[in-house]
Amino acid sequence: QVQLVESGGGLVQAGGSLRLSCAPSGSGFSINAMGWYRQAPGKQRELVAEITRGGSTNYADSAKGRFTISRDIAKNTVYLQMNSLKPEDTAVYYCKANYFYSGSRPFDTWGQGTLVTVSS
């Protein structure tokens, strides 16, 4: 029943920056991990970055050194700071959370996506 709301997408020139935010709704859950995925036209959805309960991070090679994932623990909100954007970063970016309630199995939930367009 957790819902995710993404924001921060938009149009930016190559070399510019954007910060995406993902804010979960609801209460009483715990997060295993949250991540950002993207899907470009004609391509499969791919992992961009993720962060675990302990704060460990993982990045796609294409994002490493340019993107930074972070979180606000109190709010379970995750951010993706994207710098030095390239046209090939153009995609719909989706937030994903893996979460659970006490005593239950984990669930995955996805946001609706936010469009990032990087112009040449």
Side-chain angles (χ1 to χ4, degrees), residues 21-84:
S21 299
C22 177
S25 66
S27 63
F29 60 88
S30 298
I31 297 292
N32 286 323
M34 296 185 71
W36 288 96
Y37 294 71
R38 68 186 181 189
Q39 187 165 21
K43 296 185 178 181
Q44 293 184 315
R45 191 172 299 185
E46 63 178 359
L47 173 70
V48 178
E50 62 182 357
I51 187 166
T52 69
R53 288 177 60 192
S56 298
T57 57
N58 185 44
Y59 296 92
D61 288 342
S62 60
K64 190 175 182 179
R66 300 188 298 125
F67 295 1
T68 303
I69 189 169
S70 61
R71 64 178 179 176
D72 182 322
I73 296 176
K75 297 180 179 180
N76 284 325
T77 298
V78 67
Y79 306 92
L80 184 68
Q81 178 67 46
M82 303 187 292
N83 298 325
S84 301

